[in-house]
Amino acid sequence: MIHHIPNVLTKEQVIEFRRLMEDANWVGGKVTAGTLSASVKQNQQLSEQDPLTHALSEIVIKAIWQNPLFQAAALPHKIIPPLFNRYDESESFGFHVDNSIRLIRGTSEQIRTDLSCTLFLSEPEEYQGGELVIEDTYGYHEVKLSAGDAVLYPSTSLHEVSSIQHGSRFASFFWVQSLVRDDSKRHLLFTLDESIRELRKTHGDAYSEVMKLTNIYHNLIRMWSEL
């Protein structure tokens, strides 16, 4: 399932990120690509060792962990520290699938990539092209969100960033290992959680059906989680 996560960063935070990133030291984006995806990747990234990467990454991590929609959709266990990229005119990243296992920066710890997340740092009108195109069983979905918004989608999906025709596209990207590996199970839990929240709004927390469904929700997480 593809989720739009609005307002992960405030507009003020985005402006500050962009101010710092405009004068940053960018390197070729192939440094984090696998052998196959490197052949279709043409963009720029902040180095993983750059102090700016670490500083901005901490802000994104704090914001995303505190986002209730992200928590409900991802059921996160571990998050790979965010990276940052830019696409200038004629740059793109052709269709590829993300690596299934990745190292957490600066450690020997590996995590399974269940979910991929892109946090947009450019407004849609700042660039032409540059859509994130995600393939699933229902076809191709073009994603181009407001700065500060994020899209969360299964890492099993083929996806691309289409060629930039004009302007520059800045973004942060990272991967999540979920407590629940299977996307269809996460979708069921998310839908159940949404229903519980709507019932709470309408009937209050003491409503007996809220308690019953909450019990089912947590028991399903116990059954399906991999802790």
Side-chain angles (χ1 to χ4, degrees):
M1 188 176 182
I2 300 171
H3 296 273
H4 173 198
I5 316 288
N7 303 317
V8 174
L9 295 180
T10 66
K11 295 302 182 185
E12 292 75 19
Q13 286 176 312
V14 170
I15 290 170
E16 180 62 10
F17 271 46
R18 288 290 300 278
R19 184 185 70 80
L20 295 167
M21 294 169 77
E22 289 287 354
D23 297 323
N25 224 355
W26 296 92
V27 299
K30 295 182 189 292
V31 294
T32 56
T35 306
L36 186 60
S37 60
S39 64
V40 294
K41 187 175 187 180
Q42 204 174 15
N43 70 354
Q44 304 158 66
Q45 288 181 196
L46 291 182
S47 167
E48 291 190 68
Q49 288 72 46
D50 192 320
L52 181 59
T53 300
H54 292 249
L56 299 183
S57 178
E58 287 182 11
I59 296 171
V60 173
I61 283 281
K62 183 178 179 181
I64 203 72
W65 271 110
Q66 292 175 346
N67 188 288
L69 180 56
F70 173 81
Q71 288 289 331
L75 296 171
H77 176 40
K78 297 177 182 177
I79 298 176
I80 285 193
L83 295 169
F84 301 87
N85 61 19
R86 69 180 290 172
Y87 291 80
D88 292 331
E89 194 167 321
S90 299
E91 293 185 326
S92 64
F93 194 172
F95 273 106
H96 63 283
V97 65
D98 291 335
N99 291 347
S100 55
I101 304 293
R102 285 190 173 269
L103 280 173
I104 292 182
R105 183 167 64 229
T107 75
S108 58
E109 183 179 1
Q110 296 178 312
I111 78 164
R112 184 185 64 247
T113 56
D114 296 320
L115 293 157
S116 301
C117 190
T118 296
L119 172 61
F120 289 79
L121 297 172
S122 296
E123 297 293 355
E125 60 271 18
E126 290 186 70
Y127 59 101
Q128 295 175 4
E131 293 84 3
L132 174 62
V133 183
I134 304 166
E135 181 186 22
D136 66 11
T137 53
Y138 299 102
Y140 296 94
H141 306 272
E142 293 188 354
V143 183
K144 194 173 187 178
L145 302 178
S146 298
D149 289 8
V151 60
L152 182 72
Y153 58 98
S155 297
T156 51
S157 308
L158 282 173
H159 56 282
E160 73 164 354
V161 176
S162 63
S163 181
I164 296 286
Q165 298 156 23
H166 179 73
S168 295
R169 173 193 189 269
F170 293 82
S172 175
F173 61 100
F174 55 92
W175 296 272
V176 181
Q177 181 173 322
S178 177
L179 292 167
V180 177
R181 181 195 301 229
D182 185 83
D183 182 56
S184 61
K185 291 175 180 175
R186 284 196 307 273
H187 178 42
L188 287 172
L189 287 164
F190 178 77
T191 304
L192 179 56
D193 185 47
E194 275 191 318
S195 298
I196 293 168
R197 282 187 273 117
E198 287 303 313
L199 282 172
R200 290 177 68 189
K201 286 180 188 176
T202 307
H203 300 286
D205 292 350
Y207 185 52
S208 62
E209 298 307 311
V210 167
M211 299 305 296
K212 289 177 184 176
L213 290 174
T214 301
N215 184 43
I216 291 170
Y217 175 82
H218 285 289
N219 284 332
L220 286 173
I221 289 182
R222 287 188 184 95
M223 184 185 301
W224 291 339
S225 67
E226 299 186 353
L227 281 179

